[in-house]
């Protein structure tokens, strides 16, 4: 049986044609890429804050048209503008205040959220119903819609994710975390039924803490909602919510709608203070309030680092623990605060071995023997050996060269080097004669 088969002339020609076509295709792709000059530097940002756009250009080096784009964009200045800066679209409308329109000056206000052409500059003359397109395109970096990060670039609305990248579809979760999983907040919903009386004219519906988002309350009945606030600095405020409208309360945007038989309160958040929603009695009948909001979990368990190892060598153990952490004050608090949130699961301690390297060989000595003399200088000795300790704590003798890097302890030393006591004879005392020999 044949192991190989010789290629026919037709097969060879087909193979050579394939190689030639592949070479031409690769060369044409290289030629097409080579028709463009390198991208130029990025332009200045169209805005200094609030999110703008910057562009970069490249030049076609061919006498014919090049495939692809000659301009590219990126976002820039993605920092919040100071409150006094005002709305970017409003700034562009007000720039036409000193330009006559049909022979008359107007104070122009922005018309936002145009579903048909969100990137045209439409403005309304203050105090009138006159709406005019003052420019076909807003400046680059203008938001397409008030509640979106999407921005207008060269007259077209471009998608912008919460990561402030063009073309990104990444969104915030209900907790306000970009591309988050919703684990940093909890959904709170409930219902309150008024039980007011002539002696009790108001009552608390619900306390909504700092940082909460997507708040919505609906009161059905004759009573009225009002707000009390408390800032982190302890300042208190109150708002009676007397009429329909949008307004600021402690720098939080509040949208309130008042109807004959109900009231609706919305706050997008995040709240910049603690809000206490209260109800004021009208005296005619009971009311019910339904509420829903996302409350930030400001107390969370935080796993500690491993504690020090139980042994410096030869194998030991170390553990982690968990502590309750206040995200608002950045400090550790009592565990009971974390137990308040059922979503919080206290992490179990982790155990791991540590310092597994065998302890280095060392000199080990027996106790000193008794001194060879009780005084006058003697000698006492001891046995010194080189030992190693394994992970289980067993000590064994090893060769002395393993301890060569540490000096060997002495095996003998002098002892009782003080002088021994001895008898010392003194001079004789004078001779005395007994008194009975003297007459």
């Amino acid at each position: 049986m044949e192991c190989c088969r010789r290629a026919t002339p037709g097969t060879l020609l087909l193979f050579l044609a394939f190689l030639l076509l592949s070479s031409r295709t690769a060369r044409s792709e290289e030629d097409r890429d080579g028709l463009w000059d390198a991208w130029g530097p990025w332009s200045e940002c169209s805005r200094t804050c609030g999110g703008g756009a910057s562009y970069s250009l490249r030049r076609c080096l061919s006498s014919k048209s090049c495939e692809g784009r000659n301009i590219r964009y990126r976002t820039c200045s993605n920092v919040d503008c100071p409150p006094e800066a005002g709305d970017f679209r409003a700034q562009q409308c007000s720039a036409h205040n000193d330009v006559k329109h049909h022979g008359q000056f107007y104070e122009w206000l922005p018309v936002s959220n145009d579903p048909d052409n969100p990137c045209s500059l439409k403005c309304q003359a203050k105090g009138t119903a006159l709406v005019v397109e003052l420019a076909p395109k807003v400046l680059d970096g203008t938001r397409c819609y008030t509640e979106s990060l999407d921005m207008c670039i060269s007259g077209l609305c471009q998608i912008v994710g919460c990561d402030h990248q063009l073309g990104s579809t990444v969104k915030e979760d209900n907790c306000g975390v970009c591309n988050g999983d919703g684990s940093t907040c909890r959904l709170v919903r409930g219902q309150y039924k008024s039980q007011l009386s002539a002696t009790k004219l108001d009552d608390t519906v619900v306390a909504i803490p700092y940082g909460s988002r997507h708040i919505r309350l609906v009161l059905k009945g004759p009573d009225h909602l009002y707000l009390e606030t408390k800032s982190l600095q302890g300042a208190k405020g109150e708002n009676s919510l007397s009429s329909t409208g949008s307004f600021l309360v402690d720098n939080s945007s509040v949208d309130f709608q008042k109807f004959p038989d109900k009231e609706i309160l919305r706050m997008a958040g995040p709240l910049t203070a603690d809000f206490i929603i209260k109800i004021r009695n009208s005296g005619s009948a009971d009311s019910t309030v339904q509420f829903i909001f996302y409350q930030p979990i400001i107390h969370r368990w935080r796993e500690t680092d491993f504690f020090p190892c139980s042994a410096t060598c030869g194998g030991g153990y170390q553990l982690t623990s968990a502590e309750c952490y206040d995200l608002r004050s950045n400090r550790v608090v009592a565990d009971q605060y974390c137990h308040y949130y059922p979503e919080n699961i206290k992490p179990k301690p982790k155990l791991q071995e540590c310092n597994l390297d065998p302890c280095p060989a060392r000199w080990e000595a027996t106790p000193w023997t008794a001194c060879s003399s009780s005084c006058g200088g003697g000698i006492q000795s001891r046995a010194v050996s080189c030992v190693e300790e394994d992970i289980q704590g067993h000590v064994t003798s090893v060769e002395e060269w393993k301890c060569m890097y540490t000096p060997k302890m002495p095996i003998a030393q002098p002892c009782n080097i003080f002088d021994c006591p001895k008898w010392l004879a003194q001079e004789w005392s004078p001779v005395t004669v007994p008194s009975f020999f003297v007459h």
Side-chain angles (χ1 to χ4, degrees):
M1 184 175 67
E2 288 185 342
C3 64
C4 330
R5 188 171 58 187
R6 180 177 298 176
T8 63
T11 305
L12 288 175
L13 287 175
L14 184 61
F15 178 68
L16 290 173
F18 172 76
L19 289 179
L20 182 60
L21 179 61
S22 300
S23 175
R24 287 179 178 176
T25 302
R27 192 183 307 116
S28 64
E29 290 175 354
E30 293 175 359
D31 291 344
R32 185 179 63 193
D33 293 339
L35 297 178
W36 288 105
D37 197 1
W39 285 104
W42 289 100
S43 69
E44 289 188 9
C45 195
S46 61
R47 301 184 63 186
T48 57
C49 62
S54 176
Y55 64 87
S56 173
L57 300 171
R58 62 177 178 173
R59 184 179 52 163
C60 180
L61 301 178
S62 173
S63 58
K64 301 179 181 179
S65 61
C66 297
E67 294 183 26
R69 298 177 303 156
N70 70 330
I71 187 170
R72 59 179 178 174
Y73 294 92
R74 69 177 182 183
T75 59
C76 48
S77 299
N78 293 309
V79 294
D80 292 336
C81 292
E84 62 272 13
D87 178 71
F88 193 37
R89 190 182 287 266
Q91 293 174 16
Q92 297 172 60
C93 284
S94 63
H96 293 262
N97 289 350
D98 56 355
V99 179
K100 286 185 177 181
H101 177 73
H102 294 171
Q104 187 175 348
F105 290 106
Y106 293 97
E107 183 180 347
W108 296 103
L109 301 176
V111 176
S112 303
N113 304 320
D114 182 355
D116 298 324
N117 191 1
C119 291
S120 67
L121 184 62
K122 289 184 179 179
C123 307
Q124 181 175 1
K126 186 175 181 180
T128 74
L130 177 63
V131 175
V132 179
E133 183 182 279
L134 296 179
K137 295 188 294 186
V138 291
L139 296 179
D140 287 351
T142 305
R143 298 281 173 85
C144 305
Y145 308 99
T146 54
E147 300 300 324
S148 170
L149 291 175
D150 297 348
M151 67 170 59
C152 296
I153 297 178
S154 193
L156 297 177
C157 185
Q158 304 286 342
I159 295 175
V160 178
C162 61
D163 54 358
H164 297 286
Q165 299 300 312
L166 281 176
S168 170
T169 58
V170 176
K171 298 184 180 299
E172 288 185 350
D173 63 9
N174 289 319
C175 310
V177 178
C178 185
N179 204 27
D181 58 2
S183 63
T184 61
C185 65
R186 61 194 296 256
L187 177 64
V188 178
R189 69 167 76 233
Q191 180 171 297
Y192 164 91
K193 186 173 182 180
S194 65
Q195 297 177 342
L196 304 178
S197 63
T199 58
K200 189 178 182 183
L201 298 179
D202 56 41
D203 199 9
T204 298
V205 176
V206 63
I208 306 177
Y210 171 96
S212 296
R213 293 171 177 266
H214 310 300
I215 301 103
R216 187 174 188 269
L217 295 97
V218 178
L219 179 147
K220 294 181 180 179
D223 296 327
H224 303 292
L225 294 171
Y226 76 98
L227 304 176
E228 287 185 359
T229 60
K230 182 179 179 182
S231 70
L232 295 181
Q233 293 73 32
K236 295 183 178 180
E238 184 173 327
N239 192 291
S240 61
L241 300 176
S242 57
S243 60
T244 295
S246 298
F247 44 90
L248 286 178
V249 177
D250 270 319
N251 292 321
S252 291
S253 179
V254 176
D255 181 65
F256 180 68
Q257 292 176 285
K258 189 176 182 67
F259 301 95
D261 58 343
K262 68 178 179 179
E263 295 178 352
I264 300 176
L265 175 67
R266 293 185 180 90
M267 294 181 285
L271 298 185
T272 55
D274 293 328
F275 276 62
I276 298 91
I277 313 298
K278 293 195 171 186
I279 193 171
R280 184 162 287 158
N281 186 15
S282 70
S284 57
D286 291 339
S287 298
T288 60
V289 180
Q290 293 179 326
F291 55 85
I292 184 171
F293 60 92
Y294 286 90
Q295 175 186 352
I297 300 177
I298 60 173
H299 297 108
R300 298 181 68 86
W301 292 109
R302 184 175 69 173
E303 190 174 58
T304 66
D305 295 331
F306 280 98
F307 293 123
C309 192
S310 61
T312 58
C313 61
Y317 299 95
Q318 56 186 165
L319 285 166
T320 63
S321 183
E323 57 192 11
C324 186
Y325 189 71
D326 189 318
L327 301 176
R328 198 157 64 177
S329 63
N330 294 323
R331 61 186 179 91
V332 178
V333 296
D335 286 2
Q336 67 190 43
Y337 289 98
C338 285
H339 291 308
Y340 172 74
Y341 301 98
E343 295 85 356
N344 273 348
I345 300 176
K346 188 174 184 179
K348 295 180 179 179
K350 292 180 181 177
L351 175 68
Q352 70 177 16
E353 294 180 316
C354 50
N355 294 339
L356 298 178
D357 293 335
C359 293
R362 66 180 189 273
W363 294 108
E364 189 171 75
T366 61
W368 290 105
T369 61
C371 193
S372 61
S373 176
S374 60
C375 62
I379 295 294
Q380 60 183 168
S381 62
R382 63 181 177 182
V384 175
S385 59
C386 183
V387 299
E388 277 184 346
E389 183 178 351
D390 60 20
I391 296 178
Q392 286 74 34
H394 301 142
V395 178
T396 56
S397 296
V398 295
E399 298 86 349
E400 288 197 355
W401 63 265
K402 291 188 176 182
C403 293
M404 62 183 296
Y405 296 105
T406 55
K408 186 176 182 179
M409 296 179 289
I411 60 175
Q413 68 177 11
C415 53
N416 296 342
I417 57 176
F418 54 87
D419 294 336
C420 293
K422 61 183 178 178
W423 294 106
L424 179 63
Q426 296 182 353
E427 296 292 333
W428 291 101
S429 63
V431 177
T432 56
V433 178
S435 58
F436 60 82
F437 285 110
V438 179
H439 297 282

